[in-house]
Amino acid sequence: MSNLCIVAALVFSFWVDAFSAYQYRHFNETQFSLHEAKEQTHSSLFGRIPLMVGLTLIQGAAAKGAVCLDGTLPGYHLHPGYGSGANSWIVNLEGGGWCNDVRTCIYRKKTRRGSSTFMEKQIPFTGILSNNAEENPDFFNWNRVKIRYCDGASFAGDGEDKAAQLQFRGQRIWLAAIEDLMSKGMRFAKQALLSGCSAGGLATIIHCDEFRGFFPQTTKVKCLSDAGLFLDAIDVSRGHTIRNFFSGVVVLQGVQKNQPRFCTNHLDPTSCFFPQNLIAGIRTPLFILNTAYDSWQVQSSLAPSSADPHGFWHDCRLNHAKCTTSQIQYLQGFRNQMLNAIKGFSRSNQNGLFINSCFAHCQSERQDTWFADNSPVIGKKAIALAVGDWYFNRAVVKAIDCPYPCDNTCHHLVFK
């Protein structure tokens, strides 16, 4: 197998992983088609092999109880910045689903999402983590870090299940990683950006103000949540699939003690795991990047097989082109719910938005969607440029696409 093929396989596996980590329940019932794999890796790979960055385990973490589900050390991948970016930092929180009960967490601890034993020793840095100015114009020479995700509760839990030998230490992992990075020069940062996609996008929202608090007021600190706007939506059978799932995560992993008071003062802990109940209270500038028809939410929250026993949604769930008129109408209702959820948030000039009308999930870490010749755009502006304009205050960015099917720049995800 050639080096290029190995890299292609790695890159593909990583953005698939960001979409859905495990084959349990309906929270990961599909795989990307081979056609999709070839198409999406072509633009970022066959021109150039991406940077591969090694894994660093956090040696002092165990003493703080900051361990993965199976008790192994957590870790991160760091590529140092240089030149004008030497004192600027991107901290990216890895995504990859959640585990909501003992059974799924036991499964998870035997994978790279629950144990550093199974983590790759090197991963590709693409999209917002790329070190190439042509692929990542504003952040290519920053210090760029990906913190690995091995707790299963968006870096927010703190508890354990001794009988099942499970450690729920996401909050401690987050703190141990930040402390380690501070010792490696991040304490001198003049600019910092916390980012993440999917479960990592939710973690970015949860930890945004906390991240701001690690730096002096003179440091410019902002946050970017990609595909993290999980809505408290009703599924196609009028049930609460995602709420029930998140409730399991919150209760099992002891998330409540780490939730912000501004939310728990008036809402239950599960409601405070949904971004729509958090974003209005976040004081730090936040950019929300999300597709209006988020593929993960369509498949796992709105129309999972458990809510669709007769399979009416089966084809639509896998390929938007096979949705009926009434199914598209239903999905337009989901888009409206998303736009309503961000209404108050969008009124603040310090916040940014890029809500494009695509059937996709995670767009900042994939090169083809972040910044390439045929990247998705709103008003002729690619995602990388929109985020850069917002971060550096070059422009106010509140980009909301017209409803599907008006956008022909989308990189829709199609499944088989």
Side-chain angles (χ1 to χ4, degrees):
M1 197 178 194
S2 73
N3 283 345
L4 192 56
C5 290
I6 291 168
V7 171
L10 266 170
V11 169
F12 180 56
S13 79
F14 267 86
W15 63 257
V16 168
D17 246 10
F19 182 84
S20 47
Y22 300 110
Q23 291 177 330
Y24 57 69
R25 298 199 174 175
H26 50 265
F27 276 74
N28 180 15
E29 64 189 5
T30 58
Q31 294 178 331
F32 290 83
S33 69
L34 186 60
H35 169 75
E36 182 69 21
K38 287 176 179 172
E39 184 181 302
Q40 301 299 353
T41 54
H42 185 273
S43 65
S44 62
L45 286 178
F46 299 139
R48 148 180 199 282
I49 295 176
L51 174 73
M52 301 297 289
V53 181
L55 175 66
T56 299
L57 295 179
I58 304 168
Q59 296 303 329
K64 303 177 177 103
V67 292
C68 298
L69 283 171
D70 70 338
T72 53
L73 291 175
Y76 58 76
H77 302 256
L78 164 63
H79 191 253
Y82 64 91
S84 61
N87 286 323
S88 299
W89 289 72
I90 285 184
V91 176
N92 178 274
L93 300 174
E94 185 179 34
W98 308 267
C99 60
N100 69 323
D101 56 28
V102 169
R103 181 179 66 83
T104 53
C105 289
I106 285 174
Y107 175 85
R108 190 180 178 101
K109 78 173 185 175
K110 296 174 183 140
T111 74
R112 62 175 173 251
R113 293 287 178 264
S115 169
S116 57
T117 302
F118 302 102
M119 288 177 188
E120 300 81 354
K121 300 300 176 259
Q122 286 189 315
I123 63 169
F125 269 24
T126 58
I128 196 170
L129 296 177
S130 170
N131 65 330
N132 184 329
E134 291 175 13
E135 297 177 343
N136 188 23
D138 282 311
F139 307 109
F140 70 95
N141 64 349
W142 285 31
N143 298 277
R144 297 163 335 282
V145 187
K146 181 180 279 285
I147 301 177
R148 296 303 294 267
Y149 180 36
C150 65
D151 62 280
S154 286
F155 297 89
D158 195 9
E160 65 181 332
D161 185 324
K162 286 182 178 169
Q165 296 184 303
L166 288 167
Q167 294 290 320
F168 306 124
R169 304 300 187 188
Q171 177 71 21
R172 297 189 192 198
I173 291 169
W174 153 253
L175 293 172
I178 293 296
E179 190 177 330
D180 204 57
L181 292 168
M182 286 292 187
S183 75
K184 293 190 173 174
M186 194 165 75
R187 67 187 183 278
F188 303 119
K190 298 284 186 282
Q191 303 180 115
L193 176 64
L194 181 66
S195 77
C197 136
S198 195
L202 172 56
T204 297
I205 291 169
I206 290 169
H207 291 298
C208 182
D209 280 342
E210 206 179 343
F211 186 66
R212 159 76 270 182
F214 291 125
F215 299 94
Q217 282 304 308
T218 50
T219 304
K220 176 186 255 187
V221 180
K222 297 189 179 187
C223 306
L224 163 65
S225 173
D226 176 9
L229 193 61
F230 297 97
L231 297 182
D232 190 1
I234 294 171
D235 63 41
V236 294
S237 68
R238 309 300 298 164
H240 295 271
T241 297
I242 185 74
R243 170 166 275 273
N244 294 337
F245 187 86
F246 274 3
S247 176
V249 175
V250 168
V251 173
L252 177 72
Q253 299 223 25
V255 171
Q256 181 176 4
K257 65 190 79 165
N258 297 315
Q259 293 179 308
R261 290 282 171 83
F262 72 74
C263 185
T264 54
N265 279 344
H266 68 282
L267 291 174
D268 63 276
T270 300
S271 295
C272 293
F273 202 62
F274 282 100
Q276 67 199 65
N277 299 317
L278 298 173
I279 53 176
I282 293 171
R283 299 181 304 277
T284 308
L286 172 64
F287 192 105
I288 290 178
L289 164 62
N290 230 93
T291 54
Y293 314 95
D294 183 280
S295 296
W296 189 93
Q297 294 188 67
V298 171
Q299 291 192 5
S300 301
S301 170
L302 294 182
S305 53
S306 60
D308 181 37
H310 302 294
F312 296 133
W313 280 81
H314 177 267
D315 291 350
C316 173
R317 184 165 60 235
L318 301 182
N319 183 351
H320 64 280
K322 296 183 178 176
C323 296
T324 66
T325 304
S326 63
Q327 286 171 331
I328 290 293
Q329 201 173 351
Y330 186 91
L331 296 175
Q332 300 294 16
F334 177 75
R335 173 180 178 270
N336 290 338
Q337 186 183 347
M338 184 177 290
L339 297 185
N340 282 333
I342 58 174
K343 232 175 218 167
F345 168 87
S346 68
R347 288 193 195 107
S348 168
N349 270 345
Q350 71 174 13
N351 294 330
L353 282 174
F354 193 102
I355 310 290
N356 53 338
S357 292
C358 307
F359 288 80
H361 183 73
C362 290
Q363 301 179 97
S364 63
E365 296 166 33
R366 281 175 48 188
Q367 195 57 55
D368 67 301
T369 46
W370 175 246
F371 195 62
D373 290 343
N374 65 339
S375 295
V377 297
I378 299 178
K380 299 185 178 175
K381 190 177 285 189
I383 294 166
L385 300 180
V387 172
D389 283 352
W390 163 79
Y391 186 88
F392 294 104
N393 302 317
R394 295 190 295 243
V396 172
V397 181
K398 301 285 169 63
I400 298 177
D401 220 345
C402 45
Y404 174 84
C406 71
D407 189 339
N408 62 4
T409 69
C410 287
H411 290 207
H412 297 299
L413 298 182
V414 176
F415 306 82
K416 284 184 180 173

